Amino acid sequence: MAHTDRQTMRRVLRREIAGTIGLLTDDHDFHAMRHYRSFTFDDHVTYLREVESLLKTRALQGIHTTVALFDPQEYAEFCAIQGLDPDVPAHRGLFTAELATTGPTLPYEGQPLTDLVPALVDEAVRQATWEYAATLLARLGTCATCGEDLGRTAFHRASDLLTRILDTAPPGDRHLVCSVTGTPETLVAALHADRTTQGSTPLDDAEALEFTTVLAVGLATRSPGGLVMRTTAPGAPDRVYGWRMRDNGLQPLTAGEVFDAYCTDAESGDLIAPESGVDYCTPPDLGDHEDTGRQGPTPDHHH
């Protein structure tokens, strides 16, 4: 009886232990790991099938599992810094445990790997974009005249603009995309802002932080870029409008400019048929008529 009770308690405890699996999402990373003798898989498809089977088994047992993006190059660097042999499975476990707190991860919720893998890659791109944009802001330093932190000032400016964009948006679900070029890499961030039935607009903290940071980079560096909003509401056509980045602010695009942007292939320049049930229009007034023409990342920072 006591032995059975111990087994039951262990099963209960096992369900309360969360785990992380480092996933090799593409063939290139998979073949990089095959250089280690302790990595026994020969085929990437078989590897993914076994990972999915393990995830399903853990889920059936009531065990929560987080899936992390495993990068062989980062793993080798981790082992070199820590003085570890990378050809030891336990050391891969140590690296995966660190990924759980520092790297891109997603919870496994029963979805097939064909859905989880691209979502995990997207999460990695989001995190890398934010880290790169945050580094660019940090490198701006301080204003030589007043000592103001230029990156922090630009971030506050971007936060204020985003708030006003959401406050002036028509009712419905909102999808925003911000792109900045010439930084030198193109940065793209997306933000979903769906309005609840109570009228509030809860935001995903990670998405909002990344979006605001990318917008701040565009404002601070005066790089070419733009911001586009699409709103969707029941019983009404979708509305699409946007702004171009100009000086330290946003300049509204005309309805024609928005139409041209959406109905032109970015690579070939060929015309694309407009979507049915979509209005291409000018954006609402943000209530700030001093967004352009100033010298500095914010309207009140100019010397």
Side-chain angles (χ1 to χ4, degrees):
M1 182 68 177
H3 177 68
T4 302
D5 288 343
R6 284 197 298 270
Q7 285 183 325
T8 301
M9 287 187 290
R10 287 173 183 172
R11 283 197 295 268
V12 171
L13 287 173
R14 191 177 297 115
R15 289 196 294 268
E16 296 183 13
I17 300 175
T20 303
I21 292 178
L23 183 64
L24 299 163
T25 58
D26 59 44
D27 285 332
H28 181 270
D29 288 345
F30 177 82
H31 287 293
M33 290 304 295
R34 288 196 62 202
H35 296 153
Y36 303 120
R37 290 186 177 182
S38 59
F39 187 78
T40 57
F41 287 95
D42 297 323
D43 178 73
H44 191 215
V45 174
T46 302
Y47 161 81
L48 291 176
R49 185 167 58 243
E50 292 300 320
V51 170
E52 186 165 26
S53 176
L54 176 61
L55 290 170
K56 289 180 179 178
T57 299
R58 289 174 59 87
L60 290 173
Q61 295 172 346
I63 302 174
H64 175 78
T65 308
T66 298
V67 182
L69 189 67
F70 194 102
D71 186 312
Q73 182 175 348
E74 291 182 1
Y75 171 62
E77 293 171 355
F78 168 82
C79 289
I81 293 172
Q82 300 293 330
L84 302 174
D85 180 358
D87 205 358
V88 175
H91 296 164
R92 291 198 288 274
L94 285 174
F95 176 68
T96 301
E98 182 164 302
L99 288 178
T101 58
T102 63
T105 62
L106 287 177
Y108 176 71
E109 299 173 333
Q111 68 272 48
L113 279 191
T114 51
D115 294 336
L116 190 148
V117 167
L120 185 59
V121 172
D122 287 345
E123 182 65 22
V125 171
R126 277 184 49 192
Q127 182 169 319
T129 297
W130 173 77
E131 291 175 351
Y132 180 65
T135 299
L136 290 178
L137 285 181
R139 288 177 178 172
L140 293 176
T142 58
C143 175
T145 302
C146 66
E148 189 172 8
D149 187 307
L150 297 176
R152 184 179 296 112
T153 301
F155 187 86
H156 290 324
R157 172 70 169 149
S159 297
D160 177 63
L161 283 171
L162 177 59
T163 298
R164 281 186 278 139
I165 287 170
L166 294 176
D167 287 346
T168 58
D173 297 339
R174 299 85 173 264
H175 179 74
L176 299 88
V177 176
C178 178
S179 61
V180 178
T181 59
T183 55
E185 296 184 15
T186 298
L187 301 177
V188 179
L191 178 64
H192 298 82
D194 298 342
R195 177 171 288 188
T196 66
T197 54
Q198 291 77 28
S200 61
T201 309
L203 300 177
D204 179 276
D205 290 341
E207 275 194 1
L209 177 60
E210 178 198 341
F211 190 93
T212 307
T213 305
V214 170
L215 177 57
V217 168
L219 298 175
T221 61
R222 298 172 178 251
S223 300
L227 191 157
V228 175
M229 160 91 82
R230 180 168 184 151
T231 62
T232 303
D238 285 8
R239 294 174 54 116
V240 178
Y241 54 82
W243 300 261
R244 68 168 55 86
M245 294 186 189
R246 179 63 57 84
D247 293 330
N248 64 305
L250 300 174
Q251 182 182 71
L253 295 173
T254 66
E257 289 172 326
V258 176
F259 180 88
D260 290 342
Y262 265 77
C263 300
T264 304
D265 186 277
E267 294 184 1
S268 66
D270 296 335
L271 294 179
I272 303 173
E275 295 182 63
S276 61
V278 175
D279 285 345
Y280 303 95
C281 48
T282 57
D285 187 355
L286 297 180
D288 182 353
H289 301 288
E290 297 184 355
D291 278 348
T292 61
R294 292 295 192 103
Q295 301 300 313
T298 63
D300 57 353
H301 185 266
H302 56 97
H303 307 292

